[in-house]
Amino acid sequence: GESKKREVSHSKVGTVEKEAIFSRNDVWLVLIFLVLGLITRCYDLEFPSQVVFDEYHFGKFTNYYLNGEYYIDVHPPFSKVLLYLWARFIGYDGKHSFETIGLQYTHDFYYYMRLPSAILGSIHVVIIYLSCRVLKLSLLSSVFATSLFLMDNSIITQARGIYTDAFLLLWIQLGLFFSLLSSRYSMFSSGYYASLFGSGLFLAFGVSTKLTATGFVGTVLVHQA
């Protein structure tokens, strides 16, 4: 009676929830969703072979960095700098003109410039699944929710161009994920602090990419209150 009550109501400070957060099934499903994400985001990535939508802007930003030119943008530069570093890595010289939407690409560099968005877009799918599991949704519900995200046409489109949207969404997702994960650990435990650190770090990346991510900082603050 009384001893059992004391055992159940023992202090949570400094302890970690004994129940495993993820199972072996989760590992397999993460791998499956990652592969499906790569297929849906990377398939026929070279199409269309013209400047599409905001590639008009982000292609120019990358050129400015590569050519050492100054420019003014309303948003912080973090993910644009990552895109620039990737362009340097693949050997793009910053010479292609992004003057108009629909302009034909004359070299296959654009395929490799689209790859970061496609790869990060695949990781988005995995984060959705893991977030569902952290929220203690059933395996079936988690698979269903993740499948909807996997096949969402607007999300797929966003992950198939030379944009920073995929970067932004990943930072926001990870910021929210780690905030949710912190609630699965006992307060003041190492897991709790590590989760909060991860949440703060990735939300900082988000705000450093686009100021609209500031709203998600408020979401996390409310969640942690």
Side-chain angles (χ1 to χ4, degrees):
E2 191 62 32
S3 61
K4 283 186 179 179
K5 284 183 183 177
R6 278 198 296 268
E7 201 174 314
V8 172
S9 61
H10 70 282
S11 173
K12 293 182 179 180
V13 176
T15 62
V16 181
E17 187 175 295
K18 291 182 180 179
E19 179 189 355
I21 299 174
F22 304 112
S23 67
R24 183 172 296 180
N25 288 335
D26 292 322
V27 174
W28 285 110
L29 284 166
V30 161
L31 292 175
I32 290 169
F33 277 123
L34 180 61
V35 170
L36 291 175
L38 286 168
I39 292 171
T40 53
R41 273 69 178 165
C42 294
Y43 174 75
D44 207 14
L45 190 59
E46 66 276 8
F47 177 82
S49 58
Q50 296 94 24
V51 176
V52 179
F53 190 49
D54 274 356
E55 289 184 338
Y56 165 81
H57 295 294
F58 294 108
K60 283 184 178 180
F61 294 151
T62 303
N63 283 352
Y64 293 147
Y65 279 113
L66 288 168
N67 297 319
E69 299 176 23
Y70 291 102
Y71 74 94
I72 297 175
D73 184 30
V74 295
H75 295 295
F78 179 65
S79 292
K80 288 190 283 290
V81 171
L82 295 180
L83 205 54
Y84 150 72
L85 292 174
W86 174 253
R88 288 286 299 270
F89 176 75
I90 65 172
Y92 171 53
D93 58 10
K95 301 301 183 186
H96 182 79
S97 172
F98 288 88
E99 284 305 314
T100 58
I101 293 174
L103 184 69
Q104 188 75 29
Y105 286 116
T106 56
H107 190 271
D108 64 356
F109 79 92
Y110 74 95
Y111 173 85
Y112 300 100
M113 286 295 292
R114 288 173 176 173
L115 265 181
S117 288
I119 293 170
L120 296 183
S122 308
I123 299 173
H124 295 163
V125 181
V126 171
I127 301 301
I128 290 294
Y129 176 78
L130 294 175
S131 297
C132 289
R133 296 299 283 157
V134 167
L135 286 168
K136 297 186 178 182
L137 271 66
S138 69
L139 204 64
L140 183 60
S141 297
S142 300
V143 168
F144 178 69
T146 308
S147 298
L148 291 179
F149 185 90
L150 171 72
M151 297 181 290
D152 188 287
N153 190 53
S154 61
I155 297 295
I156 293 174
T157 303
Q158 184 177 256
R160 290 175 56 86
I162 307 172
Y163 316 133
T164 58
D165 299 76
F167 292 85
L168 176 64
L169 184 56
L170 181 67
W171 307 144
I172 291 172
Q173 279 188 316
L174 287 171
L176 296 175
F177 169 75
F178 279 109
S179 181
L180 294 171
L181 186 63
S182 70
S183 64
R184 297 295 300 270
Y185 291 97
S186 301
M187 194 171 290
F188 307 130
S189 67
S190 58
Y192 174 78
Y193 283 121
S195 298
L196 288 183
F197 176 80
S199 180
L201 178 66
F202 287 112
L203 286 176
F205 287 170
V207 174
S208 298
T209 297
K210 203 168 185 179
L211 294 176
T212 47
T214 307
F216 291 93
V217 176
T219 303
V220 167
L221 289 174
V222 170
H223 176 250
Q224 293 295 331

